[in-house]
Amino acid sequence: MTLRYTLRFLLFAVLIGFFSCGSDPDPASETDQTNQGIAPESVSLQLDAEPDQLNPVLTISNYSNTIIGATFSYLQRLNPTTLELEPALAVSAPEVKILEEGPYAGGVSYTFEIRPEAIWDNGSPVTAEDFLFTMKATFNPKVPAAPYRVYLSFIKEVEIDAENPKRFTVYSDQKYIIGEEAISAALPVLPMHHYDSLGLMADIPLPDLMDTEKAKALAESNEKINQFAEQFTSPFFSREPEGVNGCGPYKLVRWETGQRLVLERKADWWGDQVEGAGIVMESYPQEMIFRPIQDQTAAVAALKDGQLDVLTNIAPEQFNELKETAFVAEKFDFYTPPSLVHAFIYVNTRLPKLEDPKVRRALAYATDVESIISTAFSGLAEPSTGAVLASSSYHNPDIKPIPYEVEKARALLTEAGWEDSNDNGIVDKKIDGVLTELSLEYKYTAGRQVSQNVALLLQESAKKAGIEITLTPQEHNVNMEDVSRRDFELLAGAKGIQPITWEPKQEYHSEGDDRSGFATPETDALIDRIQVTLDPKERKKLYIDLQAKIHESMPIIPILVPTGRLIINKELEAPITPVFPGYVPALLKFKTEG
């Protein structure tokens, strides 16, 4: 389990599309071992969707993270039960110092040391040079890693200890609320010898890459920058077993698109030699078979046929039905952990039809969230107020779930100049001299009954307020591409709610993704202040102000926080966690008898 899951939620939040499962599974490998608290030979695990790729610097997919978390190693990982950072690849938490003098005065230094046991698959040691290379690869201006650069841009230099190649210090010239988390857990450490075998990045100073103008000049003048980026972003390093290379406990041995990804545990993994490292360094199954099954019916059939050991994110109605199915209940345990995900609707505020906040708020009042929860989620969810949990200490108490009020929605539309001038049931308005009806396309993930039900309920409730919703189901990866290109009007989304400090820059700052177009100079400045305010009380005031501005602008329509829905073979156990996907695949093991 890694904070990559949390930071993927926290940093750029992964579009999960409104949940659930699809494909052509075959039986999981069987073992005749009895329950002795030992590792199963093989486990078969369902994924809601196909990973897009397995290059850690390039992907923002939770499904990819599930694989990456087992095949790569991070300086620190998140303990799935305590939700606290613990050392993994690093010997300990970093030595943190406030810098009072020198070129980075006013900033912070973080000193790490990599475990002496840590080696790559070829037997060479994992060193500080590998961490430095990982940063260089991320900040190569031709590598599409903008989401990470937003969170790591506070780094100014990495200094390697001249007497200890496994020890290094990261310097920043500013305070940053998640500095330690970002450095140690946003990205795994990549092997320089593998991903840059030609040494293309070796002579390029990291400070030059961290400087936007210098990096731009390098991209134009240094052919090695382009050559490395072309090599690093190739399919070989994203999909091929020989190319995906980390120092985690598992290796990718097969990826059959639409069928399975197979991981095998390394027989001589270096982490097995580390004593007392705790749960973040544990791993049990000898083989993990991940099956991308999007279709609900196919996923349930695979579970009933014994072809899956774990099924996650099952549609609420089917989850409840399976609990009442005797032969399934005899073989499987059912879990409903709290969720660190909130579902919402992206609204493209850059478009003329949606640029007025009153229109977006009208859409929120025209969304019957309670019906979505009771009908599409069988009651297994709570209304959402946004990216901060209502139970959080820094949640704005004035922000409540928006109720379904058709008349309020119509009043807001009228204030914004939208009325039904031709009596066809859809409000309209002249935009650039052209009569335009408020007809909006809603894109959502195809092949998922929950997604379909949400879409239909949204269409029905919005129509009563004079808003026409047209429905466009698409593959998950297509939706991810569309939201990245800002090619949408409305699009179903889901992002993680972090269990630690909220870092809103990636989602709401003009230098981040800002997919909905929320950012303004005023809100950018507010977020910049949040990033460097270490005092919790002062930061809380800023958080509350930002939440109020987001709520007023309504760049997303908050929908709900779902309850996790997880089904696991009774012979197996693993810590159940609110962090996606609700359990840690590598921690699955047979239950101890008795």
Side-chain angles (χ1 to χ4, degrees), residues 4 8 12 14-15 50-53 59-66 68 476-477 480:
R4 180 184 185 83
R8 291 289 191 187
F12 29 73
V14 177
L15 174 68
E50 187 92 21
D52 59 348
Q53 60 174 295
T59 182
I60 61 171
S61 166
N62 261 350
Y63 309 112
S64 298
N65 294 343
T66 301
I68 288 169
H476 168 73
N477 288 340
M480 291 185 70

Side-chain angles (χ1 to χ4, degrees), residues 503-517:
E503 185 8 329
K505 185 170 183 177
Q506 192 278 335
E507 188 171 0
Y508 292 112
H509 197 285
S510 61
E511 294 179 1
D513 260 3
D514 189 26
R515 293 172 173 178
S516 291

Side-chain angles (χ1 to χ4, degrees), residues 20-26 44-52 61 63-64 66-67 239 254-262 288-296 298-300 302 307-308 310-312 447-448 475-477:
S20 231
C21 326
S23 184
D24 182 18
D26 63 3
S44 185
L45 317 169
Q46 170 257 354
L47 292 175
D48 286 351
E50 187 92 21
D52 59 348
S61 166
Y63 309 112
S64 298
T66 301
I67 310 299
R239 296 187 61 89
R254 189 161 73 251
W255 185 351
E256 300 170 12
T257 301
Q259 299 297 313
R260 76 210 73 207
L261 293 89
V262 181
M288 296 192 291
I289 304 172
F290 292 89
R291 304 182 187 279
I293 309 178
Q294 295 183 3
D295 179 73
Q296 290 280 299
V300 170
Q307 298 172 9
L308 288 174
V310 179
L311 179 59
T312 63
R448 303 179 184 178
E475 291 298 318
H476 168 73
N477 288 340

